[in-house]
Amino acid sequence: MEITIPSGLTQFPVLFLLLTFLSHPISAVASTEELLKGFTATPDSSISSFQPLLSDSLGNYSFGFLRVDRTQLALAIIHVPSQEQLWIAGKSPLAPWSSQTRLSFNGSLVISDSQTVVLWSSYTDGYRVRLSNTSNLLIDAVGDNSLILWQSFDSPYNTLMENQIFTSAMTLVSSNGLYSMKLGSDFIGFYANYVDNSDPGHLYYQHNPMEAKARVLKDHGPIQAMLSPDGFLGMYQNGSTPVDVQPFSTFQQTGTGSRRLRLEPDGNLIGYYWTRSSWVIDFKQISDLCDLPSSCGPYGLCQPGKGCSCVDNRTAYSSGGCGTSGGDFCGKKYGVLRRTGVELSNKEIMAYTMMSSLEKCELTCEEKCTCWGAVYSNTSGFCYTIDYPIQTVVEVLDVTKAGYFKVRVGAGKDNKVVGLWVGLGVLCGLVLLLGGVFWYKRESRGVKGYVEEEGVNGGVGPYKNLGSDSFKSIELSER
């Protein structure tokens, strides 16, 4: 039986590789422990999932052809007992699953097609290829096992293994291509690529070293990270003493199996260890659901301790989010969605501009067609403009924090929806007007007495002396 990518995954063929292993066993095809010069291999048409070509000495890992969508293949390394994919050569494009596709080793490991077009190459002049007991694919120099010309550990995909050194020249990329992990000058950065050709992308999470045992020194070289067999992710700079240690649940516990770290499709870095029967979660870089970059999807509202809903309070939440996002608003119609009591999960690492009012903050975004929204704090005056498609925002009790979000408007039905909400906005205005009359009648008791009796938190600027219900209003209007 051949494997077919479901229609919903056709845009992310690499994401499907993981799902392949969950439903199809590895074919029992003989493999070797080394590939020497002159080796060639072509895909076997009878193989439905994985065609092993090279194994480590213990039989825990295998390198070979992975069949994808019946007609394509990827060069991959897998963990044999669990069938988990650990590495892919070149990530993309995939080669055709055909007798015309050939993997060869002539000093370089090369995959090419019938027109001798090189689809991927190690670009080396080595003696042999072997797979280590830690899943590292190696190309050795002639007659010297200690001289490694090339190794897969230098070009990771979405996974780090034990003792694999992660440098500032490397990048982890999630299987859906949306998220990446890179090292900064003194931190580990996690980036979201919501806009095409944005490099490195939008920084959504940053881990800084604790520097308990050693400090990061300026001009003393870049930092590195490594997954330790003792159960921690360490950061180092020119020495064996870590500048940071992130311990796992099984930190320094004996008897645990092999470990790995993977950047998941939700943007989280998850640590696992092997129990000889399954991979168990041992570490989460981001422990709070609401701190993930898009935990509730586009235009989602993450409610701490409760789960997900939608920013507009009218759309039924689904796992795909509460709306669509993509592109910009240059020359296009858009609606405006406003909500109070919201903030950005990564505001601590986002740039901001001091503004004297919410209106000025909104205007900054309104005048820029590549701006998707803005979040304003009336207390601090911080204005955060969002230059990427709106993802998940976090619900907070502080009603002086307000969000302004642009919403894509299509023709026909979408215009009717906007018109409906504009009409409802007028109705809400009448209700607020009547409420204002009621408030005026009680004004003689004094603002302070009214606030104390009703339990309302006073604000400043445009929020001064407004009740908490006023901050729950949501407006959607067309621009």
Side-chain angles (χ1 to χ4, degrees):
M1 180 177 65
E2 295 181 328
I3 302 168
T4 303
I5 296 180
S7 59
L9 294 176
T10 54
Q11 294 181 351
F12 306 111
V14 178
L15 175 61
F16 181 71
L17 304 183
L18 176 61
L19 302 180
T20 295
F21 295 120
L22 301 180
S23 57
H24 293 82
I26 300 173
S27 301
V29 178
S31 60
T32 182
E33 293 184 12
E34 66 176 9
L35 307 178
L36 301 178
K37 278 189 175 181
F39 169 84
T40 61
T42 56
D44 185 341
S45 60
S46 66
I47 300 297
S48 62
S49 56
F50 183 78
Q51 180 179 338
L53 302 174
L54 182 67
S55 297
D56 72 309
S57 60
L58 300 177
N60 290 325
Y61 303 102
S62 184
F63 166 75
F65 296 139
L66 176 65
R67 191 164 192 168
V68 182
D69 197 22
R70 301 176 59 185
T71 61
Q72 296 177 304
L73 69 79
L75 289 177
I77 297 174
I78 66 167
H79 178 248
V80 175
S82 65
Q83 305 183 24
E84 284 282 353
Q85 169 198 310
L86 306 176
W87 180 81
I88 288 179
K91 301 179 179 64
S92 65
L94 298 174
W97 190 282
S98 162
S99 60
Q100 303 301 313
T101 297
R102 182 177 301 272
L103 177 69
S104 60
F105 180 63
N106 57 2
S108 290
L109 198 59
V110 178
I111 186 165
S112 58
D113 61 16
S114 58
Q115 282 76 40
T116 66
V117 174
V118 175
L119 302 175
W120 178 86
S121 174
S122 63
Y123 296 105
T124 52
D125 185 15
Y127 169 69
R128 70 169 183 173
V129 183
R130 59 189 173 92
L131 189 61
S132 76
N133 293 337
T134 60
S135 79
N136 193 8
L137 188 66
L138 305 166
I139 298 180
D140 298 324
V142 176
D144 189 353
N145 295 346
S146 64
L147 181 57
I148 299 172
L149 301 179
W150 180 93
Q151 58 180 340
S152 60
F153 273 15
D154 286 342
S155 54
Y157 168 44
N158 62 358
T159 300
L160 292 179
M161 301 297 289
E162 287 182 8
N163 294 319
Q164 182 175 358
I165 297 175
F166 186 70
T167 72
S168 57
M170 301 176 186
T171 304
L172 287 189
V173 180
S174 61
S175 59
N176 56 10
L178 288 178
Y179 306 105
S180 62
M181 182 183 102
K182 299 182 180 182
L183 294 179
S185 58
D186 60 353
F187 64 91
I188 302 177
F190 296 84
Y191 301 86
N193 187 16
Y194 298 128
V195 181
D196 292 339
N197 301 320
S198 62
D199 187 25
H202 160 66
L203 181 66
Y204 64 86
Y205 191 84
Q206 178 176 312
H207 175 76
N208 299 310
M210 295 294 293
E211 300 181 301
K213 296 183 178 181
R215 298 184 63 83
V216 178
L217 301 176
K218 186 178 180 181
D219 299 326
H220 279 63
I223 61 172
Q224 298 178 340
M226 187 183 74
L227 172 58
S228 170
D230 291 331
F232 66 89
L233 177 60
M235 293 172 61
Y236 303 83
Q237 184 190 39
N238 294 334
S240 58
T241 303
V243 298
D244 183 68
V245 170
Q246 293 191 77
F248 295 2
S249 299
T250 56
F251 177 56
Q252 292 185 337
Q253 292 183 18
T254 59
T256 55
S258 57
R259 302 177 184 276
R260 64 185 174 94
L261 279 166
R262 184 170 68 192
L263 185 61
E264 301 290 351
D266 63 359
N268 206 352
L269 183 68
I270 304 294
Y272 303 86
Y273 74 91
W274 178 246
T275 64
R276 294 183 175 85
S277 61
S278 63
W279 290 100
V280 176
I281 293 179
D282 200 25
F283 167 79
K284 290 184 177 182
Q285 181 70 70
I286 303 175
S287 57
D288 191 331
L289 172 71
C290 291
D291 287 338
L292 291 173
S294 191
S295 54
C296 299
Y299 296 94
L301 180 69
C302 190
Q303 300 169 298
K306 297 179 182 179
C308 296
S309 63
C310 296
V311 171
D312 63 7
N313 260 6
R314 65 183 176 87
T315 304
Y317 174 76
S318 66
S319 58
C322 304
T324 58
S325 60
D328 55 39
F329 295 96
C330 299
K332 303 170 186 175
K333 290 184 178 181
Y334 63 88
V336 171
L337 176 64
R338 293 180 173 89
R339 179 166 185 142
T340 54
V342 295
E343 68 178 9
L344 300 172
S345 63
N346 63 334
K347 64 183 185 302
E348 291 83 3
I349 55 176
M350 279 193 69
Y352 62 84
T353 304
M354 294 293 297
M355 294 283 179
S356 59
S357 68
L358 170 64
E359 290 78 9
K360 289 184 178 180
C361 181
E362 290 184 359
L363 184 62
T364 300
C365 182
E366 183 178 342
E367 293 176 341
K368 187 179 178 182
C369 65
T370 56
C371 176
W372 280 79
V375 174
Y376 181 74
S377 172
N378 189 56
T379 303
S380 65
F382 292 174
C383 174
Y384 302 90
T385 56
I386 306 171
D387 58 357
Y388 54 89
I390 301 298
Q391 300 300 312
T392 299
V393 295
V394 181
E395 183 181 59
V396 293
L397 297 179
D398 187 352
V399 293
T400 67
K401 296 181 178 180
Y404 163 90
F405 310 109
K406 294 178 181 179
V407 182
R408 191 173 305 285
V409 175
K413 181 179 179 180
D414 289 337
N415 287 331
K416 293 179 181 179
V417 171
V418 171
L420 171 63
W421 280 87
V422 171
L424 290 176
V426 173
L427 178 60
C428 290
L430 293 175
V431 173
L432 290 175
L433 178 61
L434 293 175
V437 173
F438 173 74
W439 179 82
Y440 177 79
K441 289 182 179 179
R442 300 187 61 177
E443 190 180 23
S444 59
R445 298 177 55 188
V447 172
K448 181 177 180 181
Y450 176 74
V451 169
E452 290 176 346
E453 179 178 333
E454 300 298 325
V456 176
N457 295 321
V460 294
Y463 301 115
K464 188 175 182 180
N465 299 330
L466 293 179
S468 60
D469 286 344
S470 301
F471 299 109
K472 296 178 183 178
S473 63
I474 300 171
E475 175 190 344
L476 180 60
S477 57
E478 187 177 355
R479 291 291 185 271

